[in-house]
Amino acid sequence: MKRLSWLPWRKPLFAARRLSLSWSAIDEQALDNAAFTVLDLETSGLEPKRHHIVQIGAVRLESGSIALGNVWSGLVRTHGERSPESLLIHEISPQRQEQGEPLPQLMRDFARYSENTVWVAWDADFDLAFLDRAWPQAGLEQARPLILDLAELAACVLPEWRGRRLGLDDCLRYCGLPVSDRHDALGDALVSAQLMQLLIGRARQKGVVTIGQARRLMQSHKQRQAHAF
């Protein structure tokens, strides 16, 4: 299958298949029954135009359960990256990066893994900015996924939590979930999936049970925040 994935006629297939999943088709689906791909990126820096993806980690959350037997992680093959600033961010050595996969192969594998699911990421716009640049760099059609922002959902269903700007670890501590010095995309994706499980439960307590209700709640919250400033 990996050899076939390199055939030119297969390149547009992943984006086209993911485009068949629309909000209108799944808005009435219960959060407890949905299929999510919870993802995280390690990058060489914080600016998508100057930096690149180093590692992608993804965990499947299906019907409210983390599918530990169906996780995915890919390390991008890069050569000669020895920037001290970059290593401070992701702590992945140049030697490990040289053992990674070429970007086109990694992006195709991730597309296969995540197809027909809703993506979930903490500060999703950050990850999407890097992924949007990675698709054409890999010679692939740009994907337009359906994605929920975990940070936004947390701000909605944890109104007493005021630490969004402090990041994922602060939210994990607030929720009593384990925090460790991970610096690994798969590790971050796993704890993000655990947080998503908890937030689905909190949303249910507020009467928010479907994907559409969660999206409308987040949109309303963003509008209120915008008016507050």
Side-chain angles (χ1 to χ4, degrees):
M1 291 297 293
K2 285 189 177 181
R3 289 179 182 175
L4 286 176
S5 70
W6 285 87
L7 293 175
W9 56 266
R10 290 183 61 92
K11 286 185 179 181
L13 187 60
F14 306 117
R17 279 151 72 174
R18 193 175 298 109
L19 283 171
S20 66
L21 193 65
S22 65
W23 287 124
S24 61
I26 65 170
D27 265 348
E28 298 306 312
Q29 190 171 2
L31 290 165
D32 282 335
N33 295 329
F36 298 107
T37 294
V38 187
L39 66 109
D40 183 79
L41 304 183
E42 291 294 332
T43 63
S44 63
L46 303 178
E47 300 178 37
K49 291 184 179 180
R50 294 182 50 227
H51 302 116
H52 60 269
I53 296 171
V54 175
Q55 186 183 36
I56 306 176
V59 174
R60 192 68 58 79
L61 183 62
E62 299 172 334
S63 300
S65 298
I66 297 174
L68 291 176
N70 187 19
V71 301
W72 182 88
S73 178
L75 189 66
V76 179
R77 181 185 299 169
T78 55
H79 300 284
E81 183 186 356
R82 300 182 183 277
S83 164
E85 294 81 6
S86 175
L87 292 178
L88 283 174
I89 293 173
H90 56 67
E91 297 188 1
I92 299 174
S93 69
Q95 292 75 22
R96 278 191 63 198
Q97 292 178 57
E98 290 174 1
Q99 297 171 2
E101 301 286 350
L103 182 64
Q105 179 176 332
L106 184 142
M107 295 299 290
R108 290 181 188 132
D109 288 347
F110 175 64
R112 273 196 299 269
Y113 176 83
S114 62
E115 67 183 355
N116 294 323
T117 65
V118 176
W119 295 5
V120 176
W122 183 272
D123 280 336
D125 286 346
F126 175 85
D127 289 352
L128 283 180
F130 277 90
L131 289 167
D132 282 350
R133 293 180 65 83
W135 297 113
Q137 288 171 0
L140 301 172
E141 182 179 345
Q142 184 169 324
R144 294 293 183 185
L146 307 183
I147 188 163
L148 297 178
D149 190 323
L150 193 58
E152 190 68 38
L153 183 59
C156 291
V157 302
L158 302 173
E160 66 280 14
W161 174 62
R162 294 291 185 265
R164 172 168 181 170
R165 293 183 180 179
L166 300 178
L168 174 61
D169 283 357
D170 185 78
C171 190
L172 293 173
R173 292 188 189 95
Y174 179 84
C175 294
L177 294 173
V179 178
S180 61
D181 187 21
R182 297 174 302 275
H183 292 288
D184 176 83
L186 184 56
D188 277 336
L190 180 57
V191 296
S192 295
Q194 293 172 323
L195 179 59
M196 183 63 176
Q197 282 182 308
L198 184 146
L199 296 182
I200 289 174
R202 292 293 187 93
R204 191 189 314 113
Q205 293 172 6
K206 294 179 175 293
V208 177
V209 296
T210 68
I211 291 175
Q213 289 172 335
R215 290 204 310 123
R216 290 189 289 274
L217 178 67
M218 288 188 284
Q219 289 168 357
S220 176
H221 179 266
K222 289 181 74 172
Q223 290 171 355
R224 291 196 303 271
Q225 292 295 104
H227 290 152
F229 291 98

